[in-house]
Amino acid sequence: MKKKLNPFYVRWNIKYTAALCIIISFCIQCKENPSKSNSIKKIDENWVLHVAEKDTFLPVNIPSNVHSDLHHHQLIEDPFWENNEQRLQWIEEENWIYSTKFQLTGEELSYGFIDIVFEGLDTYSEVKLNNQLVFSSDNMFISYEEEVKSLLLIGENTLEVQFTSPINKNRDRVNNYPYTLPSGSETTALQVGSFTRKAAYHFGWDWGPRFVTMGIWKPVYLKFYNEAKINHILTETKKIYEDYAIQEFHIEIESGLDLNDYSLSIGDSLFSIKLKEGINNIRTSIQIDHPKLWWTHDHGNPNLYTENITLSKNNQNIDNQLIKYGIRQVKLINETDSIGTSFYFKLNGKPIFIKGANYIPQSSFLTDVSAEKYYNLLQMSKEAHMNMLRVWGGGIYEQDLFYNLCDSLGILVWQDMMFACSLYPTLEDEFINSIQEEITQNIKRLQKHPCIALWCGNNEVDVAWHNWGWQHQFGYSSEDSLNIWKGQQQLFEYLIPGIIKNLDNRAYIPSSPQSNWGTKENFNHGCMHYWDVWHGKKDIDAFKYHVGRFMAEYGFQSYPSLETILHFTDSSHLSLTDSVMINRQKSYIGNGMIEDQINKFLSPANSFEDFVEKSQEVQSMALNFALNAHINKQPHCMGTLFWQLNDCWPGPSWSIIDYYQRPKKAYYLVKSNFKKS
């Protein structure tokens, strides 16, 4: 049973911009079209990609990306085949154009407002509607929405998206910035990744290739409405008692006019509201009797509730959104204790031991990842008894499908903001403004998911600044260092958490890790990325003796199965000294470290095939040492997230599930250890 608990209140943030003549015209139009329901028209057909140098127009499906479209039309070979990565670097230097034509009826054009929505553009583009510039994009992680009714025509309309290469776009910015800024693992002379609000791994990483993609990577549509629309719904469990829970809803409604009388229904409750022109923020709470709580799958059931929130006028539905939520409270306990600094999670008041992995995007080409692949990978995670995945900060804020599946499967999510192993141009106002919009949009989009346990500002920026020698490497003076670090602190310790605080009550940490792995004392403080095994070249049994409070990253590489390897090369290249295998190994010490540990813990490999098999065996041994140590040292250690769950292309990496979702030996080892914990 659900019932109204207390009166809701309305907060208005109003933009007084409409002239009287516009209001009169709008009122006449509404009288002719009273209270029509809002609607959406997809623009996903009849798109073409313009290949300028060939003067060719290729039919394509949207969402997509340039590399996948060129490959589909056989203008390039499979990007993952052998050394094609190196041969296809020219694509990132070119500019590309996507265009389409679509029809509009007089009925559709009679709506008071028509917005065009691009949920994701990768990355720098100009969008033109009927040859008129609508907006320019500069951030892959932002959804763009603009009112365009005055530009639309009855009949045929043209839509064009002109993409500019991030390399071309940022060349002058990089060269003119006062300081050289390190950019992830990017090794090119022009390091543009720090300047580009785009998935960092696209510029190359130590487990993946460099494919700097461009394209319309999320849906495109027109949104029709006459008077008002629901923009966002946020929800939060305020209290949980033995017999009932209190769930609060924050509903953002955008209205075209002042003083319109509306009704808002939330489940069984119906309210009368007045909307001002602009953004209206409405909060209300409901009581849910005998609540079924959301738990991770290993502690209970991930129960979900559904509400249909509807905006109406004169008994006519105007707009509605369906929201699923879980009744649960999750808290991070990150505070001083008797030995150092704790780091553990409480779910519904119960401390839980975290078992899981770090998750990266499932392909270099994001639009190639099917819904089935999302489901399979997350189901495999659940079957391995994982109760948390960390969405790593060098990838993307994942698709809604990812979080929906984590909600329903009972898997918590540690959510990084998309910053990793880099310094950022905080002196640029436009860059900061873009980040503000990015964080605001993505928190609003993701906040409703019960799976999300933690917001984290970045991956390894703090530990890199203090331990990786950037100051010496890039020749920063003392004054340079002071100014650069002050800008990074302003971004991660003030700007981002300030935005999040206004939208959500979950815990935020500025950076992971909080503690480096250099000294014994480090293992008593906060979350840790333990890389003394691998980057420190320690033997894999060192995992047994070095256990922090929460192990957020650690791991050991292996090769995928021979079956997977033969998907990207033929049998003539099965040698570690072959150019194909040399390019496929992205870690600077990869093959040598694997071989060294095989020789110490097994026996020397007698063939390439034997090396592949033994690489998986030694990876399993490494994770066995680590997981047993972490699990057996509770409550000192209250979480273990190994690096990494999955791959973005087929090749050697720290993953336990390869690109084609074939489990490695370590997958079964992890499954067995997590089942016992």
Side-chain angles (χ1 to χ4, degrees), residues 73 104 143 184 198 276 284 290 317 328 346 385 415 420 470 475 479 486 507 521 604-605:
H73 286 281
L104 273 186
S143 174
K198 173 178 173 58
K276 296 278 190 174
T284 185
H290 309 295
N317 287 351
R328 65 98 185 91
K346 282 186 175 181
H385 309 287
Q415 179 65 53
W470 282 347
E479 184 179 0
K486 183 179 179 181
E521 176 64 18

Side-chain angles (χ1 to χ4, degrees), residues 124-154:
Y124 296 105
S125 74
E126 289 188 345
V127 174
K128 294 183 178 180
L129 180 59
N130 292 327
N131 298 315
Q132 298 295 311
L133 178 66
V134 180
F135 63 85
S136 299
S137 70
D138 65 356
N139 191 319
M140 179 182 181
F141 309 123
I142 284 178
S143 174
Y144 293 87
E145 182 169 344
E146 295 288 338
E147 211 285 323
V148 292
K149 179 178 178 177
S150 63
L151 301 180
L152 291 166
L153 305 170
I154 295 176

Side-chain angles (χ1 to χ4, degrees), residues 109-205:
L109 205 57
S110 70
Y111 275 85
F113 299 96
I114 306 176
D115 291 356
I116 192 164
V117 181
F118 284 82
E119 289 192 358
L121 290 163
D122 178 17
T123 293
Y124 296 105
S125 74
E126 289 188 345
V127 174
K128 294 183 178 180
L129 180 59
N130 292 327
N131 298 315
Q132 298 295 311
L133 178 66
V134 180
F135 63 85
S136 299
S137 70
D138 65 356
N139 191 319
M140 179 182 181
F141 309 123
I142 284 178
S143 174
Y144 293 87
E145 182 169 344
E146 295 288 338
E147 211 285 323
V148 292
K149 179 178 178 177
S150 63
L151 301 180
L152 291 166
L153 305 170
I154 295 176
E156 185 174 86
N157 293 264
T158 62
L159 181 60
E160 183 176 88
V161 186
Q162 301 176 355
F163 286 96
T164 300
S165 157
I167 315 304
N168 298 334
K169 185 73 175 181
N170 288 314
R171 185 171 279 109
D172 289 342
R173 288 176 67 198
V174 172
N175 291 332
N176 294 333
Y177 199 73
Y179 317 107
T180 301
L181 299 179
S183 179
S185 65
E186 194 176 6
T187 58
T188 58
L190 185 71
Q191 294 190 316
V192 304
S194 293
F195 290 79
T196 310
R197 292 313 298 150
K198 173 178 173 58
Y201 82 106
H202 283 163
F203 295 95
W205 219 263

Side-chain angles (χ1 to χ4, degrees), residues 488-527:
Q488 308 307 303
Q489 288 178 305
Q490 182 65 31
L491 178 59
F492 297 116
E493 296 182 22
Y494 297 97
L495 178 68
I496 292 175
I499 295 170
I500 293 174
K501 186 177 181 180
N502 288 330
L503 297 169
D504 190 52
N505 71 339
R506 291 175 180 87
Y508 170 86
I509 60 173
S511 185
S512 182
Q514 297 173 323
S515 183
N516 198 28
W517 41 264
T519 69
K520 183 178 180 180
E521 176 64 18
N522 294 142
F523 293 88
N524 291 330
H525 293 280
C527 61

Side-chain angles (χ1 to χ4, degrees), residues 43-63:
I43 308 178
D44 55 3
E45 297 180 346
N46 304 316
W47 284 89
V48 295
L49 170 63
H50 184 198
V51 184
E53 69 275 10
K54 295 181 179 294
D55 197 27
T56 301
F57 293 86
L58 307 174
V60 296
N61 296 316
I62 296 297

